[in-house]
């Protein structure tokens, strides 16, 4: 039995592990095209460094994030001792509800966090305008969008700062790793000061990450994924643990340690192949989006004309929860790379209640109830995609 991953991660060759050494941050900085960047052990760690630097610069405490996003975003805000505010999304959209966002901005707003979810490029300009009006910063969450561009410029550079993730499955992987970026030299210096104060060596944790990266290079293949991904997924589904099936449950502690030269070297080698991989997955996505557009009542998330997102997966919004669940009942455990992005809007995770306000966010909850995602891995062949299309057509 073969198993497909839920996203299109760039496979590593075991040969890329041999004798690897190098400065990944410099190579990634050139790839993004930014004057200032730095590496941390995760995208969440980068977010912590950025928020810590911004808080020290302004003294403000409130961070506005989308109500439907990764739970790690809420944990990072709490880690920094800051106050979280949730902004609902526009209907059937990944962009902020601008009226709701304007109402949330005040003289304590530290940062607004537009999120390029699933590689899709959201419109940062309205958030930037509102932030300038109240003296706040804009931090772009590009955790799932390394390589995405808007108007010829990398995402992450339209605001004051941005960050990317190199976790497993997010395109290029260091197994865990992250990159922060900014065009502001003063902010870059503040982030580097925060890095010097907060990042502490942790040889045990880094050794674990090295082992996990080696395992990723060896076992991130359809032949082995039933054991390392498929079996845990189906066990969680049988228990009814949907958040566990997606991987939405995280401990409150956020590791903050350096990335070894060996892991950086592996990433630097893989970075040389990333642009070609993105072209391959973009071409595949273009063809399959045209097929998905033919399904009645199904909305496919895509980019505007001047946006060039990346395509780890194809995210769909079905007409209602019942139709979405009907499709997932047939596909989620079938080994075809169909899953959900996040199970809940942030207020609906029980373990996040100490950190997240219980705000109304109807559009975010609606997206959580009606969306699913399809892997855009090159390993999903035409026959497998046809099976998915058949189920979706029946459900929709």
């Amino acid at each position: 039995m073969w198993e497909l991953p839920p996203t299109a991660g760039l496979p590593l060759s075991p040969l890329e592990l041999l004798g690897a050494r190098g400065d990944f941050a410099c190579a990634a900085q050139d790839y993004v095209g930014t004057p200032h960047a730095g590496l941390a052990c995760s995208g969440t760690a980068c977010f912590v460094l950025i928020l810590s630097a911004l808080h020290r610069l302004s003294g403000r405490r409130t961070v506005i994030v989308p109500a439907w996003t990764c739970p790690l975003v809420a944990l990072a805000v709490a880690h920094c001792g800051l106050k979280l505010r949730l902004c609902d999304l526009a209907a059937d959209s990944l962009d902020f509800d601008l009226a709701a966002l304007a109402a949330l901005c005040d003289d304590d707003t530290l940062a607004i966090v537009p999120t390029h979810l699933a590689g899709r490029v959201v419109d940062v300009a309205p958030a930037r305008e509102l932030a300038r009006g109240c003296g706040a910063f804009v931090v772009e969450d590009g955790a799932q969008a390394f390589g995405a561009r808007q108007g010829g410029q990398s995402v992450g550079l339209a605001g004051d700062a941005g960050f990317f993730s190199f976790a497993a499955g997010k395109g290029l992987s260091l197994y865990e790793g992250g990159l922060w970026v900014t065009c502001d030299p003063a902010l870059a210096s503040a982030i580097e000061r925060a890095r010097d104060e907060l990042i502490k060596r942790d040889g045990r944790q880094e050794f674990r990450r090295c082992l996990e990266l080696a395992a990723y290079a060896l076992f991130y293949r359809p032949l082995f994924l039933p054991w390392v991904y498929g079996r845990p997924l189906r066990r969680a589904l049988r228990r009814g643990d949907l958040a566990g099936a997606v991987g939405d449950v995280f401990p409150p502690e956020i590791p903050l340690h350096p990335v070894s030269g060996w892991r950086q070297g592996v990433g630097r080698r893989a970075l040389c192949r990333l642009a070609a991989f993105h072209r391959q997955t973009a071409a595949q996505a273009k063809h399959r989006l045209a097929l998905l557009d033919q399904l009645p009542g199904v909305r496919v998330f895509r980019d505007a004309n001047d946006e060039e997102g990346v395509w780890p997966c194809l995210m769909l919004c079905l007409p209602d929860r019942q139709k979405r669940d009907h499709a997932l009942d047939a596909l989620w455990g079938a080994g075809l790379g169909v899953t959900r992005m996040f199970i809940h809007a942030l207020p609906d995770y029980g373990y996040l209640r100490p950190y997240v306000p219980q705000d109304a966010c109807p559009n975010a909850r609606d997206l959580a109830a009606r969306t699913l995602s399809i892997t855009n891995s090159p390993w999903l062949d035409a026959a497998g995609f046809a099976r998915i299309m058949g189920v979706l057509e029946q459900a929709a």
Side-chain angles (χ1 to χ4, degrees):
M1 177 183 175
W2 280 30
E3 182 93 28
L4 299 180
T7 55
L10 176 67
L12 293 176
S13 164
L15 295 177
E16 289 177 311
L17 306 179
L18 302 178
R21 201 78 185 171
D23 186 342
F24 176 78
C26 287
Q29 178 178 340
D30 292 342
Y31 191 89
V32 173
T34 177
H36 307 285
L39 186 67
C41 62
S42 67
T44 310
C46 289
F47 190 35
V48 166
L49 295 181
I50 293 169
L51 289 180
S52 300
L54 294 178
H55 178 55
R56 294 174 190 187
L57 289 173
S58 80
R60 297 185 178 197
R61 299 181 56 81
T62 301
V63 182
I64 301 174
V65 308
W68 191 53
T69 191
C70 180
L72 283 168
V73 170
L75 294 176
V77 174
H79 179 95
C80 296
L82 301 174
K83 178 181 177 182
L84 186 73
R85 276 191 180 166
L86 304 182
C87 183
D88 203 5
L89 300 172
D92 290 340
S93 173
L94 301 177
D95 287 297
F96 283 122
D97 178 327
L98 294 181
L101 182 60
L104 290 171
C105 293
D106 59 26
D107 59 6
D108 190 50
T109 302
L110 172 65
I112 301 170
V113 187
T115 301
H116 304 291
L117 191 62
R120 307 285 46 80
V121 180
V122 299
D123 188 2
V124 177
R128 188 175 58 221
E129 183 177 347
L130 287 169
R132 296 295 176 263
C134 70
F137 298 92
V138 170
V139 179
E140 292 180 64
D141 180 349
Q144 300 177 357
F146 184 69
R149 306 181 73 80
Q150 183 174 34
Q153 175 181 268
S154 171
V155 301
L157 304 180
D160 297 284
F163 64 94
F164 305 98
S165 172
F166 305 115
K170 291 182 179 171
L172 184 148
S173 179
L174 307 180
Y175 198 85
E176 283 288 352
L179 187 79
W180 60 262
V181 296
T182 182
C183 294
D184 183 339
L187 179 53
S189 296
I191 296 172
E192 287 167 351
R193 288 194 297 272
R195 175 202 63 199
D196 293 341
E197 294 176 20
L198 298 175
I199 302 297
K200 306 297 181 184
R201 291 195 175 275
D202 187 339
R204 184 174 180 178
Q205 182 78 290
E206 180 57 25
F207 180 68
R208 175 185 173 185
R209 294 302 187 215
C210 289
L211 291 178
E212 288 169 332
L213 181 59
Y216 178 86
L218 294 171
F219 299 118
Y220 188 74
R221 304 283 187 275
L223 182 62
F224 300 113
L225 282 171
W227 304 94
V228 296
Y229 170 68
R231 284 192 169 190
L233 165 68
R234 284 180 276 278
R235 279 198 302 268
L237 291 176
R238 285 194 297 270
R239 294 194 307 266
D241 179 10
L242 303 187
V246 167
D248 270 0
V249 181
F250 303 95
E253 301 81 15
I254 296 174
L256 297 168
H257 62 88
V259 177
S260 65
W262 178 75
R263 277 206 294 147
Q264 290 193 52
V266 173
R268 186 167 185 138
R269 288 176 175 176
L271 186 61
C272 297
R273 299 187 288 111
L274 185 62
F277 183 72
H278 280 163
R279 287 192 295 271
Q280 178 187 10
T281 53
Q284 177 172 274
K286 182 179 180 181
H287 171 68
R288 291 179 172 173
L289 290 173
L291 298 175
L292 290 166
D293 283 338
Q294 300 171 23
L295 296 172
V298 173
R299 175 161 186 241
V300 185
F301 290 92
R302 49 175 23 98
D303 301 321
N305 290 334
D306 67 336
E307 299 167 352
E308 301 173 43
V310 292
W311 294 94
C313 62
L314 312 177
M315 193 157 66
L316 319 179
C317 191
L318 273 72
D320 56 51
R321 178 193 285 269
Q322 183 179 10
K323 291 180 172 63
R324 192 281 310 272
D325 288 349
H326 178 78
L328 281 176
D329 286 345
L331 294 171
W332 200 348
L336 292 171
V338 175
T339 185
R340 291 170 64 176
M341 181 60 60
F342 305 116
I343 294 298
H344 302 300
L346 288 180
D348 299 327
Y349 291 95
Y351 79 100
L352 290 182
R353 284 181 183 167
Y355 318 108
V356 175
Q358 297 301 297
D359 294 340
C361 47
N363 293 333
R365 285 184 165 120
D366 182 57
L367 278 185
R370 294 195 292 123
T371 52
L372 60 78
S373 65
I374 305 169
T375 185
N376 193 39
S377 169
W379 291 323
L380 177 59
D381 60 17
F385 189 74
R387 284 180 59 192
I388 295 170
M389 284 289 296
V391 172
L392 290 174
E393 186 173 11
Q394 183 184 34

